[in-house]
Amino acid sequence: MADGGGGGGQGDGGSFLPPSIEAAWGLRERPSKGPKPGLTLDRIVDAAVALASAEGLGAVSMGRVAKELGASTMSLYRYVSAKSELYVLMQEAATGAPPELFPPGTGWREAVEAWAWALREVYHRNLWMLRVPVSGPPATPNLVAWWEKALVALEPTGLDAGAKISVTMLLGGFVRNDALVMADLDTVIASGGADPEEVLARYGRTLRRLADPERYPEVARMLDSGVMDSVDEPTAEFRFGLARILDGVAALVEGRAV
Amino acid sequence: MADGGGGGGQGDGGSFLPPSIEAAWGLRERPSKGPKPGLTLDRIVDAAVALASAEGLGAVSMGRVAKELGASTMSLYRYVSAKSELYVLMQEAATGAPPELFPPGTGWREAVEAWAWALREVYHRNLWMLRVPVSGPPATPNLVAWWEKALVALEPTGLDAGAKISVTMLLGGFVRNDALVMADLDTVIASGGADPEEVLARYGRTLRRLADPERYPEVARMLDSGVMDSVDEPTAEFRFGLARILDGVAALVEGRAV
DNA sequence: ACAGTAACGCGTATGCCATACGCAGTACGG
DNA sequence: CCGTACTGCGTATGGCATACGCGTTACTGT
């Protein structure tokens, strides 16, 4: 697929998308030849998403998805040219279109907060999404729509284009990372068979046993302070981080940035 | 690795950790019975790290690591009980002990900035680390040492224990996420055979072709503004995000938080 | 009407992967 | 000098993505 040295730039202006991704943008052409397909992309993607939701991304193998649909493994490759394509479509489907988050005229901070919470919700409903190996920048309709919403929310800030992009990336990254932590905890719980309290308690006990207080005085103080012993409200960490970031953005908007 | 002190052996029996992880804390006992081992954990971990650095985490299979060492696949399981253990040890080794980042008495902001940049450096030197599937919270010496350094950096803020933990998690997550974006870009480049400019340009072209300006007006404006057409200095995004977050933390420290 | 052909489902095969199991050899403690 | 704990490792199992090609189907141009 790598074009050779002599080939030069693609003159046709076309970056080739796999047919399945073009289908996601509504550009599919009905082939009108051959036998009628026994499956549809949507059915495949839905089955894969259901499987991921129920048993985690690890359960999503081509064979397993096919079995779920009563088809054979290889038949899926008539709809998708590789598993990574299925991943992209799964993310697009599970993300969905962004809801009405804020009426026009909403202040930027309130709007951005609504956006972040809504995105958090999407991730939390689909923790498997955080395990999908990356393939490229988001180039499917719903993902672009979420990005659009973030930019709209930032309209009232008056920041320039570059800054707005940077803020959306900072926020998106924050939300994603917060969800990733949740997904990791979830994995540990699922594989270790313990509730969150127990996982945290065990971690504290392990560290207390292993980490020499002379070498790690601050960590030791943390452990002794008891902060590690209880589980906060699950949104506390998100609330905290979001507030800090938005305070920082506010400083930029108001020209108080360092 | 093994510090000379040798102490720290809590006699409380119940050890929940796999032997290889205990070895990382210097708690290994020389078995002194059977034949002399032909390998060492360190050699195995080093080989795995070298492989990951050179060819990506995907190249790290038990068979491949063994081949690199001139041993058989299964012999590795005498040193490590599962591949996930190897992953943990690889991260611990590649992370290394945190360097001297700031002298005592340094202001919190400067100290935290130094910490974040140093951590970024670690990730960028070992992008494969961001692909390691998670197993649990960081419980190896070097990772705890990095956490300790962050807490020390935050000492002068006077924040309470809970807030300090939250700030370290926010910062750590930010650095990690920034590196993840870089790793993703790296993956795309490696698999697509194009330089960063080309990847970005292709992305812009694709979006321009697919994203209807009526449905995505702000995105369209972004694309037209030309911000997407050039590649910034690679640290620009990191610098921006870090400044925003630290401004937000500063507001908290100074009691100006919303 | 009918051949040509494109798209279909899918069986088979290849080459990876982690790892359970057990065997044969080794070196120290008694 | 023997038991035993430990070693390396060959083999086997069950999973995975996916390349390839076969037989079949249903539309299209003649």
Side-chain angles (χ1 to χ4, degrees), chain B residues 121-134:
Chain B
E121 180 67 18
V122 167
Y123 282 133
H124 279 239
R125 253 203 313 266
N126 302 282
L127 288 180
W128 53 266
M129 241 191 275
L130 301 154
R131 305 282 176 222
V132 174
V134 98

Side-chain angles (χ1 to χ4, degrees), chain A residues 1-4 6-16, chain B residues 198 202 205:
Chain A
M1 207 50 184
D3 55 351
Q10 313 294 74
D12 65 346
S15 33
F16 298 109
Chain B
E198 178 54 26
R202 189 182 324 215
R205 247 183 290 128

Side-chain angles (χ1 to χ4, degrees), chain B residues 33 35 38-39 71-72 74 78-79:
Chain B
K33 211 48 190 302
L39 298 172
S72 81
M74 290 313 293
R78 294 285 176 198
Y79 299 83

Side-chain angles (χ1 to χ4, degrees), chain A residues 108-109 112-113 167 171 241-251, chain B residues 248:
Chain A
W108 69 265
R109 183 157 183 152
V112 165
E113 256 169 4
V167 172
L171 279 167
L242 184 57
R244 265 359 96 218
I245 290 175
L246 292 186
D247 281 357
V249 174

Side-chain angles (χ1 to χ4, degrees), chain B residues 28 30 37-47 69 76 79:
Chain B
R28 189 169 25 179
R30 176 66 78 85
L39 298 172
T40 62
L41 247 184
D42 283 348
R43 286 226 304 142
I44 294 171
V45 171
D46 287 352
L69 292 164
L76 301 193
Y79 299 83

Side-chain angles (χ1 to χ4, degrees), chain A residues 176 180, chain B residues 130-131 175-185:
Chain A
R176 188 171 214 292
L180 187 56
Chain B
L130 301 154
R131 305 282 176 222
V175 177
R176 188 169 214 290
N177 191 74
D178 174 88
L180 187 56
V181 171
M182 197 63 61
D184 288 352
L185 186 66

Side-chain angles (χ1 to χ4, degrees), chain B residues 72-94:
Chain B
S72 81
T73 305
M74 290 313 293
S75 64
L76 301 193
Y77 285 95
R78 294 285 176 198
Y79 299 83
V80 138
S81 80
K83 197 184 179 184
S84 62
E85 258 178 63
L86 180 56
Y87 281 152
V88 170
L89 297 172
M90 286 171 69
Q91 296 193 75
E92 168 73 4

